């Protein structure tokens, strides 16, 4: 009997709308529209291991390697290679799935990894999606508007929600609100079709749920392969059919590249189950088939599934252009899905037909780099992903929404571009196509780069760019302007100053010259003397190797002591030279030098009372371990995976503090690495990590001797509740234990013990009033010990822990949740038992006002709450869960000693500033330069009268064009008024064409 156990599980929600498109208004009561929620889970399978080899071998050779590796074992166990019967079976492979049984006194992973021909051994991973259809409310707006259900968390008026989500276009220039009949018309695919470009010669792979045989929409399905355990090639769910239709449908709901060759990879069963090994085999087969473009409309937050990620790198290294959806976990920041968050992958976000970022579209930054660094720019690009029409499983069309819809829109557009590039002998590879898309995208005004990437897909501009493309290296973002809002949010929200934690900007280097390259010599910082660039200290780290097609350039920006009292704008640029061997086998070395303009606003160092230090170092999240959500009510989204950063799920809190004129800096290193005399308070929110003994000693000294205040927002920790909130997987029918509670309360209690403070193991929830403000306590802990000289605030709350454990849940009076205490007339310590009111992930009521009150207390010592004597009931202090696996993921605990011993304290970073090479030159006024594209002079002759139209598809004009364009092109207009026709020009304005007039317009 095979046994399984869950090692990790992740759920996230896809919000997708379905509509019957035989109704003109899909949101009307007569139409059918529903929200499709997809729970996506990932789990490990006990005793099954993916053994990855250093090369590709035949099955007999792979078996011999495994036999040799396991023959030296002194233990007693059985093993076998699990057979894989699919289209790749006859070819050499670089991995096997091995089942090991009856393990006695031996670790087979160690035995296998010792063999020189074995690269890595990882656990087999199971993936499952569950689709649930939920009717939407009848008051849904028109289908052109994003009808996604609003998030449960509260959005604050002062944050300016419209500013961050709208394009800023004048209200008189809105697009038509009805859903266009063809997504291809909106992106003007007809312009390329009429040039004879329809996807010829391009092999497109769709990794999804399959495709029905002989579907009437598809004429060039070259191959359908099944990689699942089911004996079927058909699509039982409809998702794969829809995705394939957006790319290559030839009728009704048209696809972008109808003449491309479709290769259908069925990687999910009808029960929505998949395994990592299925993807690995299918990816290998895609490489063998020399696929040009691969669409992957799935993803998840697990960026540590190493075999999967390694294979994605191998795919792109072999020239496969991988397009992937960034996820439907918006509008929260830090919610990118993998593999769309990888630099060699084109990550696609969604917008609606109003050119607004769709609420469901996940936002950047990437969170791989936390806590020490800072995330990179993603998504790469956005396009229409709300109520887009595509092929239905039984023929006909239907409408869906989600980034899994936006992804095939981009994949289809790329298929057209690749076809054009191959015909003209242009480089078509993951870097050249990504550079083409990014440099031709139209930026949406008033929207952050972590929402829109480089902007909205513009297919015809991309075509023009590719036709003039020459291999080179480029940067993403292409410049750094810490003064530019809103595009450079959050950098633009806080000026830099002397003694602050350095500002880090991670820039992606794209190498269109070859799959492998390197940065030669050292990047050079050129401060502009006429623009005070010498007042900036620049530290640069970078990739030793650019592979595949990309690398990184990490820019650390700080202010010299010379500018401690200075205010102004400092500018300069960084120059980087990339070398790469060409891909055609010649010996010529290709070189490309890139310039990265940099601008920053410097202000005098703020007073200590206005400076707050946010502890990032002690936050842990999924992956790699199971770190549960802080709110136990959130059963459908139980994992803490958003980074716990002030620019991700604590973004709203950060915005509030900035509006109150506080300066927030991020500490990505141990407490031993900051000067307490610079800060009013250390903000410690929801920490999951342990603390080094040296940190605890240093923090005590900071509070008692240097007047630093400590503000702690904790969360629940109860070992019985932790055992109760294990994950259950219906496939494996096993449970898995979390590595900590909502916060690591035992570690917090160790930190607080010198002052006689601690949190309890109780879990409470409830609504209450505090200073006439509505408050919600969501799975918080309580204060169990506090100095008698301090002040405690209590409330009547419900015992949620008892409810979770199946006992009678009662309300308790005088539950201590908030404490104020001044230590030795120096620093102050403030404790609050719940962090959910600061975390936007599942916020029900914010407590930003309370944080402001606490900071006021730090400054002036005044407590605005009624003070009365409270006797805290005796409660248990939580002990660490026996057998927990926190040491496997901790930066503090030694990994192999069961969590009882800490690692050596890491050294604090020492700045290594780049030696400046000053330039006596003026800086450009605007360092953002839109890519200049080839122009094509066109004449628009208005047809009078226009030919009949269907729905909102209005055919208005026939082109008479230059020598390179077909005279039979038809242009789809976006806006029509009774008096005439309006067409959008390159600067976002509208030019009016009266009926019958002839005008000339240069398209850029």
């Amino acid at each position: 009997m095979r046994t399984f156990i869950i090692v990790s599980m992740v759920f996230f929600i896809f919000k997708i709308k379905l509509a019957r498109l035989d109704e003109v208004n899909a949101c009307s009561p007569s139409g059918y529209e529903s929200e499709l929620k997809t729970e996506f889970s990932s789990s490990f399978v006990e005793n099954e291991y993916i053994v990855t080899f250093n090369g590709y071998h035949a099955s007999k050779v792979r078996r011999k390697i495994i036999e040799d590796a396991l023959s030296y074992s002194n233990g007693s166990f059985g093993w076998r290679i699990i057979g894989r019967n699919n289209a790749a079976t006859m070819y050499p492979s670089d991995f096997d799935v091995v089942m090991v049984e009856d393990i006695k006194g031996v670790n087979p992973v160690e035995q296998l990894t010792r063999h020189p021909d074995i690269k890595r051994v990882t656990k087999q991973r199971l993936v499952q999606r569950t689709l649930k259809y939920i009717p939407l409310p009848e008051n849904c707006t028109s289908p052109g508007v994003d009808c996604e259900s609003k998030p449960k968390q509260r959005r604050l008026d002062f944050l300016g929600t419209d500013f961050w989500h709208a394009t800023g276009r004048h209200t008189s220039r809105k697009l038509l609100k009805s859903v266009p009949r063809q997504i291809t018309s909106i992106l003007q695919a007809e312009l390329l079709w009429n040039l004879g470009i329809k996807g010829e010669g391009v092999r497109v792979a769709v990794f999804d749920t399959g495709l029905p045989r002989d579907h009437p929409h598809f004429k060039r399905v070259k191959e359908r392969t099944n990689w699942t355990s089911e004996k079927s090639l058909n699509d039982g769910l409809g998702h794969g059919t829809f995705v394939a239709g957006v790319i290559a449908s030839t009728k009704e709901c048209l696809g972008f590249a109808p003449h491309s060759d479709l290769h259908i990879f069925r990687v999910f069963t009808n029960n929505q189950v998949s395994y990592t090994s299925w993807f690995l085999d299918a990816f290998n087969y895609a490489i063998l088939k020399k696929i040009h473009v691969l669409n992957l409309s799935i993803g998840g937050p697990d960026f540590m599934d190493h075999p999967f990620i390694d294979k994605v790198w191998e795919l792109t290294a072999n020239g496969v252009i991988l397009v992937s959806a960034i996820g439907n976990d918006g509008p929260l920041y830090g919610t990118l899905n993998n593999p769309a968050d990888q630099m060699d992958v084109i990550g696609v976000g969604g917008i609606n037909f109003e050119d607004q970022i769709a609420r469901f579209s996940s936002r950047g930054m990437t969170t791989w780099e936390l806590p020490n660094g800072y995330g990179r720019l993603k998504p790469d690009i956005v396009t229409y992903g709300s109520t887009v029409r595509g092929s239905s499983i039984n023929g006909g069309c239907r409408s869906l929404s989600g980034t899994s819809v936006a992804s095939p829109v981009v994949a289809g557009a790329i298929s057209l571009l690749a076809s054009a590039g191959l015909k003209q002998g242009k480089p078509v590879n993951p870097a050249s196509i990504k550079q083409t898309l990014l440099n031709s995208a139209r930026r949406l005004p008033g929207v952050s780069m972590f929402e829109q990437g480089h902007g909205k897909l513009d297919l015809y501009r991309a075509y023009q760019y590719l036709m003039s493309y020459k291999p080179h290296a480029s940067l993403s973002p292409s410049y750094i302007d810490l003064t530019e809002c809103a595009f450079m949010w959050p950098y633009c929200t806080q000026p830099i100053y002397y003694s602050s934690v350095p500002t880090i900007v991670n820039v992606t280097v794209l190498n269109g010259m070859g799959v492998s390259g390197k940065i030669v010599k050292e990047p050079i910082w050129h401060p502009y003397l006429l623009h005070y660039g010498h007042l900036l200290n620049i530290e640069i780290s970078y990739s030793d190797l650019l592979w595949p097609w990309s690398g990184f350039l990490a820019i650390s920006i700080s202010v010299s002591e010379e500018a401690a009292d200075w205010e102004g704008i400092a500018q300069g640029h960084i120059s980087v030279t990339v070398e790469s061997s060409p891909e055609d086998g010649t010996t010529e070395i290709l070189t490309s030098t890139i310039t990265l303009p940099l601008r920053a606003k410097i202000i005098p160092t703020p007073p200590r009372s206005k400076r707050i230090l946010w502890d990032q170092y002690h936050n842990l999240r999924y992956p790699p371990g199971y770190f549960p959500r802080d709110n136990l009510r959130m059963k459908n989204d139980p994992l803490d995976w958003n980074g716990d950063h002030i620019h991700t799920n604590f973004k709203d809190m950060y915005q509030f503090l900035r509006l109150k004129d506080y300066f927030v800096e991020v500490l990505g290193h141990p407490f031993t690495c900051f000067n307490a005399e610079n800060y009013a308070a250390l903000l410690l929110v929801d920490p999951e990590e342990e603390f080094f003994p040296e940190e605890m000693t240093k923090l005590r000294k900071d509070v008692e001797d240097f007047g630093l205040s400590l503000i702690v927002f904790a969360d629940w920790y109860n070992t019985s509740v932790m055992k109760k909130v294990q994950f259950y997987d219906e496939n494996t029918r096993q449970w898995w234990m979390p590595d900590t509670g909502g916060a690591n309360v035992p570690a917090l209690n160790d930190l607080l013990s010198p002052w006689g403070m601690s949190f309890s193991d109780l879990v409470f929830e409830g609504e209450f009033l505090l200073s006439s403000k509505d408050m919600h306590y969501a799975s918080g802990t309580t204060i169990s010990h506090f100095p008698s000289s301090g002040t405690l605030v209590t409330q009547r709350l419900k015992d949620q822990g008892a409810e979770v454990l199946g006992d009678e849940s009662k309300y308790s009076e005088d539950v201590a949740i908030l404490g104020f205490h001044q230590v030795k007339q120096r620093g102050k310590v403030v404790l609050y038992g719940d962090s959910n009111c600061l975390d936007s992930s599942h916020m029900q009521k914010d407590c930003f006002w309370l944080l402001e009150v606490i900071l006021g207390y730090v400054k002036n010592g005044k407590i605005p709450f009624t003070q009365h004597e409270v006797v805290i009931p005796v409660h248990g202090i939580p002990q660490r869960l026996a057998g927990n696996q926190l040491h496997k993921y901790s930066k503090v605990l030694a990994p192999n000693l069961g969590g009882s011993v800490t690692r050596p304290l890491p050294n604090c970073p020492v700045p290594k500033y780049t030696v400046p090479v000053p330039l006596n030159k003026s800086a450009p006024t605007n360092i953002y330069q839109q890519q200049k594209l080839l122009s094509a002079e066109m004449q628009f002759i208005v047809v009078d009268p226009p030919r009949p139209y269907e729905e909102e598809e209005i055919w208005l004009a026939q082109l008479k064009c230059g020598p390179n364009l077909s005279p039979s092109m038809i242009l789809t207009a976006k806006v029509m008024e009774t008096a005439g026709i309006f067409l959008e020009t390159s600067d976002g304005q509208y030019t009016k064409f009266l009926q019958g007039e002839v005008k000339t317009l240069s398209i850029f």
Side-chain angles (χ1 to χ4, degrees):
M1 175 79 63
R2 290 176 60 181
T3 58
F4 305 89
I5 187 169
I6 292 182
V7 177
S8 69
M9 176 80 72
V10 55
F11 294 92
F12 61 95
I13 303 300
F14 282 101
K15 294 180 179 176
I16 305 174
K17 289 183 289 186
L18 261 64
R20 277 211 333 256
L21 291 185
D22 54 343
E23 303 289 348
V24 174
N25 184 355
C27 291
S28 69
S30 60
Y32 169 76
E33 183 167 358
S34 65
E35 183 178 289
L36 175 59
K37 289 189 176 181
T38 306
E39 291 183 353
F40 186 101
S41 66
S42 174
S43 59
F44 291 146
V45 183
E46 187 186 30
N47 295 346
E48 283 193 17
Y49 298 91
I50 295 175
V51 179
T52 306
F53 303 97
N54 286 320
Y56 283 79
H57 305 287
S59 58
K60 290 182 179 180
V61 176
R62 301 198 306 269
R63 172 176 286 277
K64 184 64 168 60
I65 293 173
I66 294 172
E67 286 177 348
D68 291 345
L70 296 177
S71 64
Y72 297 104
S73 171
N74 295 322
S76 174
F77 60 89
W79 64 273
R80 65 182 178 88
I81 296 175
I82 297 176
R84 309 189 318 267
N85 184 21
N86 53 51
T89 302
M90 67 183 72
Y91 299 100
S93 178
D94 62 341
F95 79 97
D96 267 316
V97 181
V98 178
M99 170 172 280
V100 181
E101 300 173 327
D102 302 323
I103 301 174
K104 295 180 180 178
V106 69
N107 186 338
V109 176
E110 291 182 1
Q111 295 292 330
L112 289 165
T113 52
R114 289 174 185 170
H115 196 284
D117 291 328
I118 294 177
K119 177 180 179 181
R120 179 183 287 126
V121 180
T122 54
K123 293 185 177 181
Q124 167 79 305
R125 188 178 294 271
L126 176 147
V127 177
Q128 182 177 25
R129 292 189 302 186
T130 304
L131 305 180
K132 297 180 179 179
Y133 296 88
I134 302 173
L136 288 177
E138 291 188 357
N139 61 352
C140 174
T141 59
S142 67
V145 178
D146 179 14
C147 299
E148 295 298 328
S149 57
K150 302 299 181 185
K152 293 181 180 178
Q153 62 264 34
R154 183 176 163 196
R155 300 292 298 181
L156 302 176
D157 291 337
F158 69 80
L159 291 176
T161 302
D162 290 338
F163 175 77
W164 296 115
H165 295 277
T167 64
R169 178 168 291 170
H170 193 274
T171 54
S172 65
R173 296 173 178 171
K174 285 186 177 179
L175 302 176
L176 295 174
K177 289 190 175 181
S178 298
V179 178
R181 181 171 176 78
Q182 303 289 355
I183 183 63
T184 52
S185 297
I186 292 301
L187 291 173
Q188 296 182 319
E190 298 99 331
L191 293 177
L192 298 188
W193 294 348
N194 284 283
L195 290 174
I197 302 168
K198 295 187 177 181
E200 292 85 350
V202 176
R203 294 178 289 276
V204 184
V206 177
F207 277 55
D208 217 285
T209 58
L211 180 71
R213 182 180 180 179
D214 298 327
H215 193 289
H217 288 185
F218 304 96
K219 302 302 182 184
R220 300 178 67 92
V221 178
K222 290 299 181 182
E223 187 176 29
R224 295 186 305 151
T225 53
N226 175 40
W227 305 87
T228 75
S229 57
E230 295 179 341
K231 306 300 182 184
S232 174
L233 293 168
N234 291 323
D235 182 5
L237 299 172
H239 191 270
T241 303
F242 180 92
V243 168
V246 172
I247 296 172
S249 172
T250 62
K251 59 191 300 185
E252 296 185 81
C253 30
L254 300 177
F256 285 86
H259 291 181
S260 61
D261 296 335
L262 276 182
H263 293 254
I264 304 300
F265 290 71
R266 187 173 185 263
V267 292
F268 276 93
T269 68
N270 289 333
N271 291 326
Q272 300 133 55
V273 171
S274 188
Y275 286 86
T276 294
S277 59
W278 295 353
F279 276 98
L280 300 184
D281 268 333
F283 284 154
N284 281 342
Y285 193 67
I287 294 172
L288 289 169
K289 287 293 182 178
K290 300 186 183 302
I291 294 297
H292 293 109
V293 182
L294 191 155
N295 183 80
L296 199 62
S297 285
I298 61 171
D302 185 2
F303 53 77
M304 298 189 70
D305 187 359
H306 294 294
F308 185 92
I309 291 170
D310 286 351
K311 190 59 64 176
V312 168
W313 285 337
E314 186 178 348
L315 273 169
T316 57
N318 279 276
V320 179
I321 302 165
L322 183 54
V323 185
S324 185
I326 63 165
N328 295 347
D329 297 292
L332 200 67
Y333 274 55
T335 52
L336 296 169
N337 285 197
N338 180 267
D341 60 350
Q342 293 183 214
M343 293 303 103
D344 54 323
V345 176
I346 297 173
V348 183
I351 58 175
N352 61 21
F353 288 108
E354 298 284 348
D355 280 359
Q356 297 170 326
I357 302 296
R359 294 190 64 87
F360 57 73
S361 187
S362 290
R363 271 70 165 171
M365 57 186 177
T366 62
T367 58
W368 294 32
E369 301 80 5
L370 301 178
N372 306 112
Y374 194 84
R376 291 158 293 160
L377 171 56
K378 281 280 183 169
D380 293 305
I381 198 167
V382 293
T383 193
Y384 302 109
S386 186
T387 55
V388 171
R389 296 186 76 197
S391 300
S392 176
I393 192 171
N394 296 317
C397 302
R398 67 170 180 172
S399 156
L400 287 178
S401 295
T403 56
S404 63
V405 174
S407 179
V409 170
V410 171
I414 290 174
S415 300
L416 276 185
L417 296 173
S419 180
L422 292 172
K423 284 182 179 180
Q424 297 297 323
K426 297 295 181 181
V428 176
N429 59 57
S432 65
I433 292 298
K434 190 169 186 177
Q435 289 172 323
T436 295
L437 295 179
L438 303 193
N439 284 294
S440 61
R442 290 187 181 272
R443 181 179 294 185
L444 303 177
V447 180
S448 160
M449 63 181 182
F450 289 129
E451 293 183 292
Q452 67 168 309
H454 285 254
K456 179 180 70 168
L457 170 69
D458 188 316
L459 178 55
Y460 189 71
R461 284 163 59 93
Y463 165 74
Q464 290 181 303
Y465 183 92
L466 184 60
M467 290 301 97
S468 63
Y469 180 86
K470 293 181 180 180
H472 66 281
S474 61
L475 302 174
S476 174
S478 59
Y479 67 96
I480 300 172
D481 187 350
L482 306 187
T483 71
E484 182 191 6
C485 275
F487 183 72
M488 281 282 172
W489 191 97
Y491 296 110
C492 62
T493 59
Q494 182 167 295
I496 59 177
Y497 44 87
Y498 171 66
S499 77
S500 68
V501 174
T503 296
I504 299 174
V505 183
N506 268 330
V507 178
T508 298
V509 182
L510 295 173
N511 178 22
M513 299 179 294
V515 65
S516 179
K518 62 180 180 180
I519 295 176
V520 295
K521 300 180 181 179
E522 295 282 336
I524 303 173
W525 162 236
H526 296 285
Y528 298 158
L529 295 179
L530 299 179
H531 297 274
Y532 308 99
H534 62 284
L535 299 178
L536 296 175
N537 291 326
I538 303 297
E539 185 177 2
I540 305 173
S541 58
Y542 55 91
S543 306
D544 294 327
L545 176 68
L546 306 180
W547 184 90
W549 309 103
S550 63
F552 72 86
L553 194 69
I555 316 297
S556 177
I557 307 168
S558 54
V559 177
S560 68
E561 187 174 3
E562 182 182 352
D565 298 315
W566 184 81
E567 181 171 358
I569 303 295
Q571 298 189 67
H573 77 258
I574 296 168
S575 61
V576 184
T577 300
V578 174
E579 259 186 17
S580 186
S581 298
E583 297 298 301
D584 57 8
T586 64
T587 58
E588 180 186 0
I589 300 296
L590 300 181
T591 302
S592 179
T593 299
I594 324 164
T595 296
L596 180 70
L598 191 155
R599 175 189 288 158
K601 181 178 181 179
I602 300 174
I603 62 170
T605 302
R608 181 186 188 186
S609 62
K610 285 294 184 179
R611 294 177 65 179
I612 303 167
L613 190 62
W614 170 272
D615 174 38
Q616 188 66 40
Y617 187 77
H618 296 93
N619 287 325
L620 297 173
R621 84 283 187 204
Y622 178 91
Y626 169 20
F627 299 100
R629 277 284 187 208
D630 307 323
N631 188 343
L632 291 170
R633 293 287 175 196
M634 299 298 130
K635 297 179 181 179
N636 289 330
D637 190 13
L639 289 184
D640 193 352
W641 65 282
N642 301 134
D644 283 350
H645 192 278
I646 58 170
H647 299 152
T648 58
N649 49 311
F650 288 94
K651 165 180 170 283
D652 292 350
M653 180 207 72
Y654 166 76
Q655 288 282 85
F656 176 87
L657 290 173
R658 286 298 299 127
L659 286 172
K660 298 299 180 180
D661 204 27
Y662 286 100
F663 295 84
V664 189
E665 302 171 36
V666 177
L667 178 66
H669 302 280
F671 292 161
T672 51
C673 298
F674 75 92
N675 183 354
E677 295 179 278
N678 289 336
Y679 303 97
L682 173 66
L683 190 51
L684 191 55
V685 178
D686 182 27
E688 293 87 4
E689 182 62 278
E690 295 285 334
F691 300 94
F692 288 103
E694 297 89 339
E695 288 185 289
M696 292 187 277
T697 301
K698 197 258 187 182
L699 186 61
R700 181 177 184 180
K701 185 177 181 64
D702 287 343
V703 173
E704 296 180 0
D705 296 344
F706 298 111
L708 178 74
S709 291
L710 175 64
I711 302 171
V712 179
F713 280 73
D715 269 300
W716 67 273
Y717 190 106
N718 180 288
T719 55
S720 297
V721 172
M722 290 166 67
K723 294 175 183 178
K724 196 73 175 179
V725 297
Q726 301 171 94
F727 276 123
Y728 180 73
D729 178 28
E730 294 180 356
N731 292 282
T732 60
R733 302 189 183 280
Q734 294 290 333
W735 299 89
W736 182 55
M737 193 77 65
D739 294 308
T740 184
N744 192 340
V745 172
L748 275 175
N749 286 344
D750 291 344
L751 188 72
L752 297 170
S753 61
W755 302 302
M757 303 176 187
S758 66
F759 291 104
S760 76
D761 62 354
L762 299 178
V763 186
F764 278 90
E765 66 174 350
E767 307 276 345
F768 59 91
L769 285 176
L770 187 61
S771 281
S772 302
K773 302 284 197 311
D774 290 328
M775 295 286 286
H776 179 78
Y777 210 68
S779 306
T781 185
T782 68
I783 298 173
S784 59
H785 296 84
F786 208 73
S788 58
S789 57
T791 298
L792 282 173
V793 176
T794 63
Q795 291 294 331
R796 181 177 182 268
L797 294 173
K798 182 182 178 182
D799 189 343
Q800 187 183 15
E803 178 185 344
V804 172
L805 296 175
D807 299 329
E808 183 181 358
S809 180
K810 297 181 179 179
Y811 281 88
S812 298
E813 306 292 338
D814 292 332
V815 178
I817 59 171
L818 177 62
F820 299 82
H821 179 63
Q822 184 163 4
V823 180
K824 296 182 179 180
Q825 302 303 310
R826 298 292 292 168
K828 303 175 180 70
V829 179
V830 181
L831 307 183
Y832 189 67
D834 180 28
S835 72
N836 283 281
C837 57
L838 299 180
D839 185 346
S840 299
S841 297
H842 297 292
M843 183 188 295
Q844 293 178 273
K845 291 184 175 69
D846 75 82
C847 63
F848 302 153
W849 70 272
L850 176 61
L851 180 56
E852 184 183 16
V853 165
I854 292 171
L855 291 170
Y857 165 72
V858 166
K859 182 178 181 180
N860 56 40
K862 296 180 180 179
I863 302 174
F865 305 114
T866 303
Q867 302 182 37
H868 60 278
E869 192 171 320
V870 176
V871 178
I872 304 177
V874 177
H875 296 302
I877 297 177
Q879 303 299 313
R880 291 170 176 83
L881 180 65
N884 75 79
Q885 303 296 305
L886 183 61
H887 59 279
K888 293 184 177 180
Y889 322 115
S890 172
K891 302 179 294 293
V892 176
L893 300 176
N896 300 318
L897 299 175
S900 58
V901 179
T902 60
R903 301 170 186 256
L905 180 72
N907 294 326
C908 297
V910 178
K912 297 179 181 179
Y913 298 130
T914 300
V915 177
V917 179
L919 297 177
N920 190 19
K921 63 175 291 186
S922 297
T925 305
N926 180 16
I927 63 176
Y928 166 60
Q929 306 232 346
Q930 181 85 13
Q931 180 67 41
K932 293 182 180 179
L933 304 175
L934 296 174
S935 64
E937 292 292 331
M938 300 183 182
Q939 284 190 319
F940 292 87
I941 301 179
V942 178
V943 178
D944 186 15
R947 72 184 205 179
Y949 59 88
E950 298 179 277
E951 297 181 6
E952 291 72 41
E953 188 176 83
I954 308 169
W955 299 91
L956 296 168
Q958 182 175 18
L959 295 172
K960 286 190 176 179
C961 347
N964 297 325
L965 298 175
S966 165
S968 60
M969 286 188 179
I970 300 297
L971 183 70
T972 302
K974 295 180 178 178
V975 178
M976 182 181 73
E977 290 187 354
T978 304
I981 302 162
F982 287 80
L983 296 176
E984 188 179 5
T985 60
S986 59
D987 59 359
Q989 303 299 313
Y990 285 90
T991 300
K992 186 174 181 178
F993 296 87
L994 295 177
Q995 198 105 13
E997 276 191 38
V998 178
K999 296 285 184 179
T1000 300
L1001 175 67
S1002 292
I1003 303 287
F1004 292 98

